[in-house]
Amino acid sequence: MQDDLTTGYSAQSAALKGTVPGADALRAKAMTDFGAQGFPHAKAEDWRYSDLKALRAGVYAPVDAPKVAPEVPAAMGESAARFVFVNGRYAEDLSDLGDLWQAASIRPIANHFSSSSARTDELVRGKDGIALLNTALLRDGMVISVPAGVEIDDPVEIVHIMTEAAGQAAHLRHVIELGEGAKLTVLERFIGDDSAYWQNIILQARVAEGASFSHFRLQEEGLGAVHTAKVYVNVDASGQYHVMNMTMGAKMARFEAHVRMLGEEADATVDGVALTGTGQVHDTLTHVDHVVPFATSDQIFRTVADARGKTAFAGKVTVAKDAQKTAADQSFKRWCSTARRKRTPSRNLKFSPTMSNAATVPPLVSWTPRRFST
């Protein structure tokens, strides 16, 4: 089956050659690596609770444009701009640039590497089959660059819509760049019909010194969908990154947040809520990497569950040997409506064995099962 998957996705990747100038070599390398390792297996610790049977069952075709234009939900409030992607492609007629273009650089991912091929080195390629396919099948996405000192008060909304896409997949990549002292809020929303599609998203960001990036995600995919999303964020000195992820939709959904603290007094907050219904699988993995001293991070996750489903949270904090005076807090709590509901929390706190008082981690919550009735 892996050979069939590699053959099918290799053909798709080859057909995209030239669509993103400067990215062909990166695309080819990612496809080669995918062929060597395939999709993650449940035997891998980080993937033991994610059900990827649908992805291994066969090749998802490239997504087509819908025959009928979808209904776009109303904006969730005042926004600096609104970008709408339908079936993995930017829908200019449904989007609104607002006044954002006057304060920030906005461009499609296809034009991001045109000025300099060296920019391809900045693109996160990923290590597992999910991320590698996102790179190999890269086609569309948005790049937002906010200059130093510019603060965007209203949020930028990015809406992803999937419709009439049974057996098809969309692989999008968004890039956020914040200059020193810049400020930006991004609200991502994911919606779709109940067909069996796959939406595979990566957002990567660089938060420069003293900059602030607030990131909100609302996942409302259709109940037949597979939703995989990864966030890669580097935070420089005195920079701030705050993400809030709310998971409600999809048959199988996985969200990952990978945050690297690269400067002193950097601060990150990684929060999430999963509202999981019957037959759904919602999996969350976080990794906050403290590379330098005097940085802080907080993680708070909550799950509310209906019957006959599964949620999992794996939170990891790593602290480098020389990252003294790091403060890392982590909290997870869950509410189970019936005894049949399966909850699988996991924590992984790693510190150098030679460190002394390098991190402050408060007592972790108890995992003693509790049952409730409704």
Side-chain angles (χ1 to χ4, degrees), residues 206-227:
R206 180 62 184 254
V207 181
E209 182 175 353
S212 175
F213 178 29
S214 297
H215 184 197
F216 300 90
R217 303 181 75 260
L218 179 58
Q219 191 270 96
E220 305 171 284
E221 303 274 22
L223 294 180
V226 174
H227 175 93

Side-chain angles (χ1 to χ4, degrees), residues 255-302:
F255 169 68
E256 297 182 16
H258 302 270
V259 184
R260 300 189 71 211
M261 315 297 280
L262 301 179
E264 294 185 2
E265 298 185 1
D267 178 68
T269 303
V270 183
D271 298 335
V273 175
L275 306 178
T276 310
T278 299
Q280 291 180 293
V281 177
H282 291 160
D283 190 7
T284 301
L285 180 143
T286 66
H287 180 198
V288 180
D289 185 11
H290 288 266
V291 180
V292 299
F294 302 106
T296 59
S297 66
D298 291 287
Q299 299 183 58
I300 301 176
F301 278 81
R302 302 290 184 262

Side-chain angles (χ1 to χ4, degrees), residues 39-52 56:
F39 287 116
H41 196 277
K43 292 182 180 179
E45 178 64 26
D46 288 345
W47 291 89
R48 60 186 300 188
Y49 302 117
S50 290
D51 185 359
L52 300 183
R56 293 194 188 91

